[in-house]
Amino acid sequence: PPPITMAFYRTTARMVKYAREPEDTTKSCKARGSDLRTHFKNMRETAGGIKNMNLQTAKKYLEDVLSMKRCIVFRRFCGGVGRTAQAKNEGSTNDQGRWPKKSAEFLLGLLKNAESNAEVKGLDVDALSVTHIQVNRAIQQRRRTYRAHGRINPYMSCPCHVELVLSEKVETVKKEADPRGPKVSSKQQARLRIKSGSSN
């Protein structure tokens, strides 16, 4: 029998580029999901709901959405979206809101993934907040639906890509007041002299 030859293929890990890199990479962690089978429009509104939130607050909010205690406010993609009293509590101006279950579940999973990345890096999990979150349309997947008179129409899905960055809040140091007072240009000095009446 002929000798058996085995081929070994070396796979190279490809670095994925994020739309925005964190300012301080040592105090940040990232997570992303590609081609998620949930509607892009629902995911965009859900992601907008947790932007700039503290990590623990965002997780609690999404869990409340899943249990229908709080809603996701629909701001841009709000055509035909019903109104609910819960939307007022979230700061909505049009009272339109929904409870997108799949989007909330995917985002909750991404937040937990980013949290475990933060623990590996040795970051303070309680000080993390969602500084960047972005949702992009992915390539649509194709199915078909059957119509009257033997016709066929496309029945496309609208998946999405999501990326998020968690960063520790940087404590802002208050700038000391300049002992010389505010900077005044020569033009402003001339005006002040004219107002006070002491023209040289």
Side-chain angles (χ1 to χ4, degrees):
I4 298 169
T5 56
M6 297 185 75
F8 293 98
Y9 298 99
R10 193 170 66 188
T11 57
T12 55
R14 208 168 49 126
M15 288 297 289
V16 183
K17 191 174 179 184
Y18 280 68
R20 183 188 296 173
E21 289 298 324
E23 291 174 11
D24 188 1
T25 51
T26 57
K27 298 279 184 183
S28 306
C29 59
K30 301 185 281 191
R32 67 181 289 137
S34 298
D35 294 297
L36 303 179
R37 282 298 296 270
T38 178
H39 296 303
F40 161 76
K41 293 182 180 183
N42 287 354
M43 182 61 93
R44 187 259 175 199
E45 301 292 355
T46 312
I50 65 165
K51 192 173 183 180
N52 298 323
M53 268 192 189
N54 179 277
L55 173 61
Q56 305 306 330
T57 313
K59 282 165 65 177
K60 180 75 174 69
Y61 177 42
L62 292 174
E63 283 160 6
D64 286 347
V65 168
L66 289 172
S67 59
M68 297 184 78
K69 291 176 187 170
R70 294 171 73 184
C71 77
I72 296 291
V73 175
F74 275 60
R75 300 177 194 277
R76 177 176 294 176
F77 301 112
C78 54
V81 175
R83 293 177 292 179
T84 172
Q86 287 182 6
K88 278 184 182 168
N89 302 332
E90 309 304 330
S92 169
T93 53
N94 56 13
D95 297 344
Q96 290 176 293
R98 278 183 176 168
W99 301 265
K101 185 168 180 276
K102 278 178 79 173
S103 299
E105 283 170 350
F106 275 124
L107 271 184
L108 205 52
L110 275 176
L111 286 175
K112 286 175 181 171
N113 181 240
E115 185 181 6
S116 62
N117 292 344
E119 285 169 358
V120 168
K121 279 181 110 174
L123 301 178
D124 180 13
V125 176
D126 295 325
L128 291 173
S129 60
V130 183
T131 51
H132 165 70
I133 185 163
Q134 179 173 310
V135 183
N136 295 107
R137 291 179 192 266
I139 294 173
Q140 289 188 311
Q141 294 173 339
R142 181 175 289 276
R143 285 183 292 168
R144 54 169 60 177
T145 185
Y146 300 92
R147 310 307 296 266
H149 312 295
R151 290 173 300 135
I152 289 175
N153 278 6
Y155 207 69
M156 313 289 277
S157 69
C158 300
C160 58
H161 307 306
V162 186
E163 62 180 53
L164 61 90
V165 175
L166 301 180
S167 303
E168 282 186 6
K169 284 278 185 188
V170 181
E171 289 183 17
T172 54
V173 180
K174 197 171 183 180
K175 190 178 179 182
E176 286 186 22
D178 194 358
R180 294 173 294 177
K183 288 185 180 178
V184 182
S185 68
S186 56
K187 212 178 226 184
Q188 288 171 328
Q189 283 175 349
R191 279 190 192 142
L192 288 169
R193 281 199 299 269
I194 291 167
K195 277 185 182 176
S196 62
S198 60
S199 57
N200 295 340

